[in-house]
C-alpha cells in the first residue's frame, strides 16, 4: 500500500492507473478506522481494480463549537488496518495541502439540509460536499463507497453527483454494528464506560420504531413520541428524532413507502447518530 500526502504524488499515480484503463474504487474517511470504514474498503476491493482511501479530517465540515480538535486520530493504526482491508493507495493530506489558501468558493447544498444533521449542524453538508467534490476530482473514481450510517450524507452526495453530472457511481453500504447493536463510530471512543453500556438503546429505539410501524402505527408524530420516550431513559440528551421519506428527506405525516427513522443523541463528549431505513409496504409483506 502506498501512503501519499501530496496532491502531486496522487495525481501521478492516478494518471498511471487511468493509462492502464483500470477502475478506481474510492473510500473517503476521516480516519480512526473501525469496522464500518473497513467494510467499505473491502466492498471496493471486491468491485474495482484499485482501491484508494483517504483520511482527512475536513475543517470545513465542523462548526465553531464542534469537536474538530478533539476528533480522534491514530495514523499508525489506520495505516495497518487500511492495508489489511486491501487498500492500494492511502491519501492523507494535511489541511494546508487541501486548502493552501482560503477557498474562494464552496458548494452550497439547498435541498435536504433543513432536517436532521443539516438542521443541527448548519453548514456541515456544504463542507462535506465541497471536500468530496475536491476529492472526486483528484481521485477520479468509477465508484465511491459511503455508509448508510450517515444516510443524509449519502443522499446529499447522490444529489450532488446528479446535479453536477459527476461521473462516479455512489455505492451505499450497510451500517456495521457492535454486538449489542451500537453503530460503530470513531466517536464511540469518547463514551464513558456507563455511556457505552447504555448506548445500545439508540439502536433499540430504532428497532422499536420499526416494529411499531410494522404493527400499523403510521402516524409520524406518534412513532417519534415512542422513540423519544425510549431515549428519555438515557443519561444523555436527545438532539433529534425524526422520520422522513428516503432519500428525499421529506416530512410525511401518514407514513408510507421508503422511510428513514433517524436519531442523534448527545453524550457528554460524543454526539452519536444512527438510523434505520426500510420500505413499509415491503416490511409488511414479510410479517
Ligand atoms: P467518517 O470517517 O466518519 O467520515 O466516515 C467515513 C465513511 O465511513 C462514511 O461513508 C461513513 O458513512 C462510513 N461509516 C462510518 N461508520 C460506519 C458504520 N458503522 N458502518 C458503515 N459505514 C460507516
Amino acid at each position: 500500500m502506498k501512503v501519499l500526502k501530496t496532491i502531486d504524488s496522487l495525481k501521478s499515480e492516478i494518471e498511471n492507473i487511468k493509462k492502464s484503463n483500470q477502475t478506481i474504487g474510492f473510500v473517503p474517511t476521516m480516519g480512526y478506522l473501525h469496522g464500518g470504514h473497513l467494510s467499505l474498503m473491502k466492498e471496493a476491493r471486491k468491485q474495482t481494480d484499485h482501491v484508494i482511501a483517504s483520511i482527512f479530517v475536513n475543517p470545513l465540515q465542523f462548526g465553531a463549537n464542534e469537536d474538530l480538535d478533539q476528533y480522534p486520530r491514530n495514523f499508525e493504526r489506520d495505516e495497518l488496518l487500511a492495508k489489511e482491508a486491501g487498500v492500494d493507495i492511502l491519501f492523507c493530506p494535511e489541511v494546508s495541502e487541501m486548502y493552501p489558501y482560503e477557498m474562494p468558493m464552496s458548494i452550497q447544498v439547498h435541498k435536504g439540509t433543513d432536517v436532521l444533521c443539516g438542521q443541527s449542524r448548519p453548514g456541515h453538508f456544504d463542507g462535506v460536499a465541497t471536500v468530496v467534490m475536491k476529492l472526486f476530482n483528484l481521485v477520479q473514481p468509477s465508484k465511491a463507497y459511503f455508509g448508510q450510517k450517515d444516510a443524509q450524507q449519502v443522499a446529499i452526495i447522490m444529489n450532488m453527483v446528479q446535479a453536477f453530472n459527476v461521473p462516479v457511481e455512489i455505492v451505499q453500504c450497510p451500517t456495521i454494528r457492535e454486538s449489542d447493536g451500537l453503530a460503530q463510530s470513531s466517536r464511540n471512543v469518547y463514551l464513558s464506560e456507563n455511556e457505552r453500556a447504555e448506548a445500545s438503546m439508540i439502536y433499540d429505539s430504532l428497532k422499536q420504531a420499526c416494529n411499531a410501524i410494522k404493527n400499523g402505527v403510521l402516524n409520524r408524530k406518534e412513532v417519534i413520541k415512542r422513540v423519544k420516550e425510549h431515549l428519555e431513559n438515557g443519561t444523555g440528551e436527545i438532539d433529534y428524532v425524526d422520520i422522513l421519506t428516503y432519500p428525499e428527506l421529506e416530512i410525511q405525516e401518514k407514513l408510507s413507502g421508503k422511510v428513514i427513522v433517524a436519531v442523534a443523541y448527545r453524550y457528554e463528549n460524543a454526539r452519536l447518530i444512527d438510523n434505520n431505513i426500510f420500505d413499509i409496504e415491503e416490511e409488511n409483506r414479510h410479517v
Side-chain angles (χ1 to χ4, degrees):
M1 183 179 78
K2 289 183 180 157
V3 177
L4 306 178
K5 287 183 172 293
T6 65
I7 288 177
D8 280 348
S9 59
L10 179 66
K11 273 186 179 160
S12 71
E13 290 291 335
I14 301 292
E15 252 169 49
N16 287 336
I17 297 172
K18 292 278 164 185
K19 267 188 215 143
S20 63
N21 261 339
Q22 291 186 315
T23 54
I24 296 175
F26 178 45
V27 182
T29 83
M30 297 203 299
Y32 211 74
L33 301 181
H34 53 67
H37 300 117
L38 302 179
S39 72
L40 306 183
M41 293 168 183
K42 286 177 189 160
E43 197 54 33
R45 183 69 284 160
K46 276 193 228 153
Q47 297 187 1
T48 54
D49 300 323
H50 279 266
V51 179
I52 303 187
S54 61
I55 295 181
F56 181 61
V57 183
N58 173 37
L60 288 194
Q61 69 192 66
F62 286 79
N65 300 316
E66 294 184 354
D67 58 352
L68 173 63
D69 293 337
Q70 286 83 40
Y71 198 84
R73 293 161 169 91
N74 186 339
F75 185 71
E76 283 72 35
R77 184 171 157 273
D78 285 353
E79 197 178 336
L80 286 175
L81 290 172
K83 196 171 166 193
E84 271 170 30
V87 171
D88 298 304
I89 296 176
L90 189 60
F91 178 54
C92 35
E94 296 290 335
V95 172
S96 56
E97 182 70 10
M98 286 295 276
Y99 304 118
Y101 44 82
E102 194 180 327
M103 284 289 276
M105 60 191 78
S106 66
I107 293 186
Q108 271 184 22
V109 186
H110 306 303
K111 195 166 177 286
T113 47
D114 52 346
V115 289
L116 312 181
C117 293
Q119 197 172 38
S120 14
R121 303 183 70 187
H124 169 67
F125 287 112
D126 295 350
V128 171
T130 301
V131 79
V132 170
M133 183 65 106
K134 250 172 109 71
L135 289 166
F136 279 177
N137 285 334
L138 289 168
V139 175
Q140 302 172 48
S142 347
K143 296 188 180 197
Y145 298 77
F146 291 84
Q148 186 198 305
K149 163 147 178 300
D150 300 273
Q152 188 174 19
Q153 171 170 280
V154 196
I156 286 170
I157 296 297
M158 282 178 173
N159 279 343
M160 179 184 87
V161 160
Q162 205 172 17
F164 289 98
N165 307 102
V166 185
V168 53
E169 181 189 333
I170 303 301
V171 183
Q172 179 166 340
C173 300
T175 301
I176 304 298
R177 302 180 176 282
E178 302 292 353
S179 55
D180 64 352
L182 176 67
Q184 294 197 358
S185 163
S186 306
R187 290 184 169 101
N188 289 351
V189 70
Y190 288 132
L191 298 176
S192 71
E193 212 172 304
N194 285 344
E195 289 171 342
R196 173 61 193 87
E198 176 187 286
S200 60
M201 69 160 187
I202 298 172
Y203 183 52
D204 294 339
S205 76
L206 293 172
K207 280 195 296 196
Q208 214 180 42
C210 182
N211 286 335
I213 293 170
K214 273 194 223 167
N215 290 325
V217 185
L218 296 176
N219 180 307
R220 169 176 167 267
K221 291 198 178 82
E222 173 59 28
V223 183
I224 291 175
K225 190 175 116 215
R226 292 187 190 193
V227 175
K228 284 188 171 166
E229 275 166 8
H230 188 94
L231 292 171
E232 268 153 16
N233 298 320
T235 54
E237 263 177 37
I238 298 170
D239 182 348
Y240 64 69
V241 174
D242 211 345
I243 308 175
L244 302 164
T245 60
Y246 194 83
E248 302 81 9
L249 303 177
E250 282 161 7
I251 291 174
Q252 179 196 46
E253 293 300 347
K254 184 170 185 303
L255 304 171
S256 71
K258 197 168 180 187
V259 295
I260 177 168
V261 184
V263 168
Y265 193 82
R266 223 178 265 285
Y267 280 113
E268 195 169 350
N269 294 312
R271 176 180 170 281
L272 305 183
I273 58 170
D274 201 355
N275 68 77
N276 199 349
I277 298 176
F278 56 95
D279 190 301
I280 295 176
E281 284 74 34
E282 195 119 298
E283 289 288 336
N284 284 338
R285 269 199 285 279
H286 300 302
V287 177

